[in-house]
Amino acid sequence: MMGVSVGKAVEGRKGEHAVRIGELSRRTGVSVPTIKFYVREGLLPAGELTSPNQASYGETHVQRLRLIRALLDVGGMSVAAIRDVIVAVEDPERSMHKVLGVTANRLVPRYEREPDTVIEEARKSVAELVAARGWHAYPENPAGEALAAALAALDDVGHGGFVEILDAYADAAEKVARADMDYVAHHVAREALVESAVVGTVLGDAIFAALRRLAHVDASNRVFGGPADRE
Amino acid sequence: MMGVSVGKAVEGRKGEHAVRIGELSRRTGVSVPTIKFYVREGLLPAGELTSPNQASYGETHVQRLRLIRALLDVGGMSVAAIRDVIVAVEDPERSMHKVLGVTANRLVPRYEREPDTVIEEARKSVAELVAARGWHAYPENPAGEALAAALAALDDVGHGGFVEILDAYADAAEKVARADMDYVAHHVAREALVESAVVGTVLGDAIFAALRRLAHVDASNRVFGGPADRE
DNA sequence: CCATCATAGATAGTGGCGCTATCAGATAGC
DNA sequence: GCTATCTGATAGCGCCACTATCTATGATGG
């Protein structure tokens, strides 16, 4: 028998299923070496050592691994970006908008482009849009820069006229943002707020993109009359 | 002197500024080795040979390079995905929805997840949504699968309740899709239709994501009252 | 008590991707 | 003729997300 192991004691507290790394791997579908890799990279806290070569992992590890995989696979974030965001989320000094600032900074790809008239025009469009909407946001924040870069890229490719429908996009974005706030207000506990914001920001992009594709298929069918595409 | 070179003759036709690779590089900001790399990879047609070791590049090459950079940098597509899409676009048998099918297939990351109840539930939600909206789209197309995967990921992370606001997202997506069709109808020539659809699909995602972040900053300020984040 | 298995922690290696460097031989343009 | 540039080919690089291997230790079951 050998009596109750130290691991058991750990398992006891607050109903956590404390397990060893192999079981953690089985539960999450993440390989053992990969889990160790995440620990090394600072994405996942180390297991609680119960002896020099045994550690036990709890429910928080399972959740964290799911979070990591969601941000990696669905959100398309890099390991480095996820680390930065997680560090920010865990910072006790975290304020909502500080963490979201980090998230935005790490989520938005940084495009470098030597300043030219195209990007200047795009920035102006963004500033005008933000002003017209009365958005309390500085247009020169990373999202605004990303928007300007995307508009500039569209212009480069010969679709400068796109700005004309930007308002429709902004309407939709406002609507979604309101729904997001609504969801957060009703479903999210204060402590989980920041993490939810991160998850929602990242996965929300993926969800909207997918919905937009579905709506395109429908709209395209209506306009062009072809059968929906099965592949 | 030596008279008009062959290159000049090529330059003459239809007002194209036929140039050599160095100039093409200068105009697009893409390095010469990278241009050669794109040619090797099938993203860019080779220049027109004017002698065994001289080729001239025209306006189409400039445009194509801008397209490639836009899809790569802003759209976040891989070189392989861009190649597949370009091949599809150039296929004379291209039909609108076939090319968009390829685009969707290459744009949407493929998540593998062993079938479980979570993903099954998510698929059901997607099917219900599509049905409720009367969308003429098969829910099991890649976009629908991507949506289900994202919803399942949300569920994994403890946000299964998100489905409740999915309708708001769908409303917004419909709105955007309508605006897209409108833009295409008014601004895009028939020959450019397919390429525009690709560009719009990819860059539209980036634009909407950026707008959503801006709207979040605003909504978050209104709800949480903090100052906008400057970083 | 012993055989077997799992583990921690460390270091090195792998495969894919988007380029980048280098070279030989040929041509452009003065 | 002279130098800068070009084509086409091959090899290499740097980053990234893992993955493999190893040692020393402890867990576990009979």
Side-chain angles (χ1 to χ4, degrees):
Chain A
M1 286 286 135
M2 301 304 104
V4 175
S5 72
V6 181
K8 275 275 164 61
V10 170
E11 184 177 345
R13 81 169 137 84
K14 66 188 268 204
E16 277 191 19
H17 298 273
V19 295
R20 293 190 300 171
I21 203 170
E23 177 68 12
L24 179 63
S25 168
R26 244 164 279 125
R27 278 198 199 175
T28 57
V30 179
S31 77
V32 170
T34 299
I35 292 173
K36 288 183 176 182
F37 168 71
Y38 291 158
V39 172
R40 282 201 303 279
E41 293 295 312
L43 276 67
L44 186 69
E48 197 169 333
L49 279 180
T50 59
S51 77
N53 69 334
Q54 295 289 298
S56 79
Y57 302 82
E59 203 51 43
T60 59
H61 293 93
V62 174
Q63 285 168 10
R64 174 62 62 80
L65 277 173
R66 285 209 239 271
L67 174 63
I68 293 168
R69 297 312 313 191
L71 297 181
L72 260 180
D73 297 342
V74 183
M77 290 178 70
S78 72
V79 165
I82 294 173
R83 177 187 45 236
D84 291 355
V85 169
I86 282 178
V87 165
V89 167
E90 289 192 330
D91 182 354
E93 317 248 303
R94 66 190 182 185
S95 77
M96 187 66 171
H97 72 271
K98 213 166 239 167
V99 175
L100 283 186
V102 173
T103 311
N105 273 302
R106 301 286 357 205
L107 269 179
V108 175
R110 284 237 120 59
Y111 321 111
E112 282 126 45
R113 147 194 301 249
E114 69 278 19
D116 60 3
T117 44
V118 175
I119 186 75
E120 276 313 318
E121 277 299 311
R123 285 210 187 90
K124 230 174 72 186
S125 298
V126 172
E128 278 166 16
L129 179 82
V130 169
R133 300 247 143 208
W135 280 349
H136 293 175
Y138 297 95
E140 65 271 19
N141 74 10
E145 268 302 296
L147 178 55
L151 291 176
L154 262 183
D155 200 357
D156 285 346
V157 177
H159 287 283
F162 183 89
V163 283
E164 289 173 29
I165 62 161
L166 202 53
D167 249 348
Y169 271 67
D171 277 347
E174 254 180 15
K175 192 168 215 154
V176 164
R178 263 198 300 271
D180 289 337
M181 289 297 145
D182 221 58
Y183 172 78
V184 165
H186 287 84
H187 291 79
V188 181
R190 275 202 79 73
E191 325 84 67
L193 224 150
V194 178
E195 186 185 302
S196 295
V198 171
V199 170
T201 300
V202 177
L203 296 192
D205 283 353
I207 286 171
F208 184 84
L211 282 169
R212 181 167 168 256
R213 303 253 198 299
L214 283 173
H216 273 160
V217 173
D218 175 64
S220 165
N221 282 340
R222 288 176 200 280
V223 175
F224 299 99
D229 196 348
R230 258 229 144 86
E231 311 165 56
Chain B
M1 304 262 139
M2 296 310 101
V4 175
S5 73
V6 181
K8 277 274 164 64
V10 170
E11 183 178 345
R13 81 170 137 83
K14 66 190 270 204
E16 276 191 18
H17 298 273
V19 294
R20 293 190 298 170
I21 203 169
E23 177 69 12
L24 179 62
S25 167
R26 245 162 279 126
R27 278 197 200 176
T28 57
V30 180
S31 78
V32 170
T34 300
I35 292 173
K36 289 182 176 184
F37 168 71
Y38 290 158
V39 171
R40 283 201 302 281
E41 293 295 313
L43 275 67
L44 186 69
E48 197 170 333
L49 279 180
T50 60
S51 76
N53 69 336
Q54 295 290 300
S56 79
Y57 302 82
E59 203 50 43
T60 58
H61 292 93
V62 173
Q63 285 167 12
R64 174 63 61 80
L65 277 173
R66 287 208 237 272
L67 174 63
I68 293 168
R69 297 313 313 193
L71 297 181
L72 260 181
D73 297 341
V74 184
M77 290 178 70
S78 72
V79 165
I82 294 173
R83 177 185 44 234
D84 291 355
V85 169
I86 282 178
V87 165
V89 167
E90 289 191 329
D91 184 352
E93 317 247 303
R94 67 191 182 182
S95 77
M96 187 67 172
H97 72 273
K98 211 165 242 168
V99 175
L100 282 187
V102 173
T103 310
N105 272 302
R106 300 287 355 209
L107 269 180
V108 175
R110 285 237 117 58
Y111 322 111
E112 283 125 45
R113 151 199 293 253
E114 69 278 19
D116 60 4
T117 44
V118 175
I119 185 76
E120 277 313 317
E121 278 298 312
R123 285 210 187 89
K124 231 174 71 187
S125 298
V126 172
E128 279 166 15
L129 179 83
V130 169
R133 300 247 142 208
W135 280 349
H136 293 175
Y138 298 96
E140 66 271 20
N141 74 12
E145 268 301 297
L147 178 55
L151 291 176
L154 262 183
D155 200 357
D156 285 346
V157 177
H159 288 283
F162 183 90
V163 283
E164 289 172 30
I165 62 161
L166 202 52
D167 249 348
Y169 271 67
D171 277 347
E174 255 179 13
K175 192 169 217 153
V176 165
R178 262 199 301 271
D180 289 337
M181 290 296 147
D182 221 59
Y183 172 78
V184 164
H186 287 84
H187 291 78
V188 181
R190 276 202 80 72
E191 325 85 67
L193 225 149
V194 178
E195 187 186 301
S196 295
V198 171
V199 170
T201 300
V202 177
L203 295 193
D205 283 354
I207 287 171
F208 184 84
L211 282 169
R212 181 168 169 256
R213 301 251 199 300
L214 283 174
H216 273 160
V217 173
D218 176 63
S220 166
N221 282 339
R222 288 176 200 280
V223 175
F224 298 98
D229 196 348
R230 258 227 144 88
E231 314 166 53

